[in-house]
Amino acid sequence: MKKAGTSLAVISTLIAMGAVVGCGSGGTNNAAGTAGSAANTTVTSTGSQTGVLNVGLQADPSTLDPALSSALVDRQVMANIYDTLFALTPDGKIVPDLVKTYEVSSDGKTYTFHLQTGVKFQDGTTFDSAAVRFNLQRDMAKTSARASELNMIQSIDTPDSNTVVLHLKTPYSPLLGVLTDRAGMMVSPAAVKKYGDDYANHPVGTGPYIFESRVKGDHITVKANPNYWKGAPKIQQVTFKAFSDPNVELTNLENGAIQLADQVPAQSLSTLQQNANFVVSNTPGLGYQGVYLNTSEAPFNNQYLREAVDAAIDRQTITNVVFKGEASPAWGPFSPKSPVYDAKQDTPPAPNGDEVKKFLKEAGDPNGFTFTLQTANSPVSAEVAQIMQSMLAKYNITMKIQQLEFGTLLSNNTNHAFQASALGWSGRVDPDQNTYQFWYTNGPQNGSNFSDPTIDKLLDEARQVGDMSKRKAIYSQFMDEMHKQDPYIFIYFQNNTYAYSKNLQGFQAYPDGVFRIADMSI
């Protein structure tokens, strides 16, 4: 999967399991661990200064370059710096954004985009068809995290400054959905050429907020773009602060140091909902959480041992004990919000001790085995891991727990430097975006290093079919294969749970879980 160490290397993935909500062991766990971090301290309130918004994030963003990014917290910042070619509405519809209008050929292989005119990047350069071609070609590079999302593009024409024509190798139904996300974020070509490998520290888009400063491990500050083509945002300055401990983030919300929090500890959800000073948004999401099993080395190069772990986990108990209404049990990558969700197939069976023993025997390890789970250093991640550890111990499966700083966890996943790795995915509207890059051979986020020709064939088929009911049938076959091979242990579907001050107006929950701050005021 991902290659590390190059300028466009895939940094890693997703969100740490358990990072969405908090519970259990409380309070003062350490910070994200990077130099200069104040991530888990309670900061002094700055009051409710008009036009200034402080936002809590569950981890420090790894990068602000869309070509490199693969973490949800990156998107929380980037979505306010960059516009996208297409956009999502709060109810999940895909609509044009930097693209004004578009046409698709009858064979589904040619997309013609007519761009918005008069749009400028924050550095004053012009957004036009050449900029779109530059961005798409940059994201199509083999070293980009976006490569698999755009690999159906055969060529790009720019007949004039406001028109882009994409010629595809085959029909590719996820394309517009992909362009609502990082592959559709337009960076300034001039800024990329100016800063080179250091571009991520000088991000420039066409969006409502301009990057101002960053203290790694602590905060990122952006300021309103006075020349924004949709109109200047009302909030003049936004600071994103990292809190790996959700209890500390909540304390900072309650004392007014932040006004918007991207996680709510489960044990505090009910109390906060009854507090008139705050509003809680708790909606089902498109994402999933679980555990990558490294299929390229022992012990999980043995399929039967992967199946034994899958059969031993009681997801319902985990969601009941840890999440208390902020998650539901999962047995696949398609949440109930997905257009291809199948309640029968995606609902996990109860743990089955006879099956566990059978798989251990077939694996040649009837007396059990030992492995190490790498997980994030948050209280929630620790609690989930400890419950899993207890469930597996019944069958003499010894799971050691190694808690890591989020960036290290991601890096190890990227480089397959683990036996089991607890990381999830924040989810996308199109089912291809929840599957292809994770389980297709050499996919950019294939942390399990999994490869299977049947899985590859089904994933290729599903992205070339336009009719969603037909795609759902293909994904059903895909899940049958996934349940046989278990390269990833699905645990739960997380809700998108946020809390914010009653003084913050205009907040809307989006299915991708990302904040659109340009719509807000305070």
Side-chain angles (χ1 to χ4, degrees), residues 16 63 68 121 222 283 295 323-324 326 388 395 458 471 474:
T63 182
L68 300 174
F121 287 102
V222 298
T283 58
T295 65
F323 298 105
K324 300 177 175 62
E326 293 186 354
M388 290 178 57
Y395 308 103
L458 291 168
R471 295 181 72 191
I474 297 171

Side-chain angles (χ1 to χ4, degrees), residues 235 500-508 517 519-522:
I235 294 176
Y500 54 94
S501 164
K502 67 176 184 180
N503 297 321
L504 182 64
Q505 304 296 314
F507 178 94
Q508 287 186 291
I517 295 173
D519 299 333
M520 303 180 197
S521 61
I522 191 167

Side-chain angles (χ1 to χ4, degrees), residues 55-323:
V55 180
L57 298 179
Q58 56 193 260
D60 189 41
S62 55
T63 182
L64 298 180
D65 185 345
L68 300 174
S69 167
S70 44
L72 172 61
V73 288
D74 304 347
R75 295 164 60 220
Q76 296 289 19
V77 181
M78 292 193 304
N80 297 289
I81 295 175
Y82 304 107
D83 290 314
T84 47
L85 294 178
F86 289 80
L88 282 181
T89 64
D91 59 358
K93 294 179 181 176
I94 297 172
V95 295
D97 193 27
L98 284 170
V99 169
K100 187 175 182 179
T101 61
Y102 69 101
E103 299 104 35
V104 184
S105 64
S106 58
D107 64 1
K109 295 173 63 175
T110 302
Y111 285 68
T112 302
F113 297 156
H114 306 284
L115 306 179
Q116 302 281 359
T117 56
V119 178
K120 296 285 187 180
F121 287 102
Q122 295 148 359
D123 59 5
T125 57
T126 299
F127 168 75
D128 56 14
S129 60
V132 175
R133 181 172 58 190
F134 175 90
N135 273 271
L136 295 179
Q137 290 177 337
R138 182 172 186 256
D139 286 339
M140 291 164 62
K142 291 182 179 178
T143 49
S144 168
R146 310 277 75 81
S148 72
E149 301 168 20
L150 300 175
N151 62 6
M152 288 294 182
I153 298 176
Q154 186 169 48
S155 62
I156 304 170
D157 288 338
T158 53
D160 59 55
S161 62
N162 293 315
T163 305
V164 178
V165 182
L166 304 185
H167 301 283
L168 308 185
K169 299 170 187 173
T170 65
Y172 179 44
S173 54
L175 180 62
L176 299 187
V178 163
L179 296 178
T180 68
D181 196 19
R182 287 170 286 214
M185 291 181 177
M186 296 291 105
V187 308
S188 162
V192 171
K193 294 170 184 174
K194 178 179 180 180
Y195 294 109
D197 288 349
D198 197 35
Y199 170 76
N201 292 317
H202 305 275
V204 177
T206 65
Y209 286 93
I210 302 171
F211 174 82
E212 184 170 80
S213 63
R214 174 172 192 169
V215 175
K216 187 69 176 174
D218 191 87
H219 71 270
I220 296 170
T221 298
V222 298
K223 62 181 180 181
N225 178 359
N227 301 312
Y228 186 45
W229 62 283
K230 295 180 184 177
K234 295 177 182 177
I235 294 176
Q236 293 303 298
Q237 177 178 301
V238 183
T239 296
F240 299 90
K241 295 189 63 68
F243 299 93
S244 60
D245 187 329
N247 298 295
V248 178
E249 184 172 345
L250 176 61
T251 299
N252 279 269
L253 177 70
E254 291 174 329
N255 73 16
I258 62 173
Q259 293 80 44
L260 172 60
D262 71 341
Q263 54 184 340
V264 178
Q267 80 276 12
S268 302
L269 179 64
S270 178
T271 302
L272 199 62
Q273 287 173 324
Q274 297 174 39
N275 189 328
N277 293 318
F278 302 99
V279 179
V280 174
S281 174
N282 181 26
T283 58
L286 289 161
Y288 55 85
Q289 293 283 336
V291 175
Y292 288 85
L293 301 180
N294 189 341
T295 65
S296 59
E297 64 177 49
F300 292 120
N301 56 357
N302 187 324
Q303 176 182 325
Y304 295 115
L305 295 182
R306 303 197 299 267
E307 292 183 277
V309 172
D310 189 40
I313 301 300
D314 183 347
R315 282 85 167 174
Q316 189 65 62
T317 293
I318 291 174
T319 55
N320 288 348
V321 172
V322 181
F323 298 105

Side-chain angles (χ1 to χ4, degrees), residues 294-436:
N294 189 341
T295 65
S296 59
E297 64 177 49
F300 292 120
N301 56 357
N302 187 324
Q303 176 182 325
Y304 295 115
L305 295 182
R306 303 197 299 267
E307 292 183 277
V309 172
D310 189 40
I313 301 300
D314 183 347
R315 282 85 167 174
Q316 189 65 62
T317 293
I318 291 174
T319 55
N320 288 348
V321 172
V322 181
F323 298 105
K324 300 177 175 62
E326 293 186 354
S328 57
W331 205 37
F334 309 124
S335 84
K337 299 292 287 184
S338 168
V340 299
Y341 173 72
D342 182 331
K344 182 178 179 181
Q345 194 170 37
D346 297 325
T347 301
N352 188 323
D354 291 338
E355 287 283 296
V356 176
K357 293 172 185 174
K358 184 190 77 169
F359 289 135
L360 289 174
K361 185 177 180 181
E362 289 176 330
D365 289 312
N367 298 318
F369 67 103
T370 297
F371 71 97
T372 297
L373 173 74
Q374 296 183 358
T375 191
N377 60 351
S378 75
V380 179
S381 298
E383 186 175 17
V384 172
Q386 289 161 4
I387 294 174
M388 290 178 57
Q389 184 182 55
S390 174
M391 293 173 175
L392 294 170
K394 297 176 184 176
Y395 308 103
N396 294 320
I397 301 174
T398 302
M399 187 183 85
K400 299 178 181 177
I401 299 171
Q402 181 182 17
Q403 287 195 269
L404 299 173
E405 177 269 327
F406 185 59
T408 302
L409 179 68
L410 293 176
S411 177
N412 286 356
N413 187 278
T414 298
N415 295 304
H416 315 297
F418 66 90
Q419 292 179 316
S421 172
L423 282 168
W425 176 241
S426 54
R428 301 294 188 276
V429 172
D430 194 284
D432 180 87
Q433 295 172 272
N434 286 358
T435 52
Y436 194 95

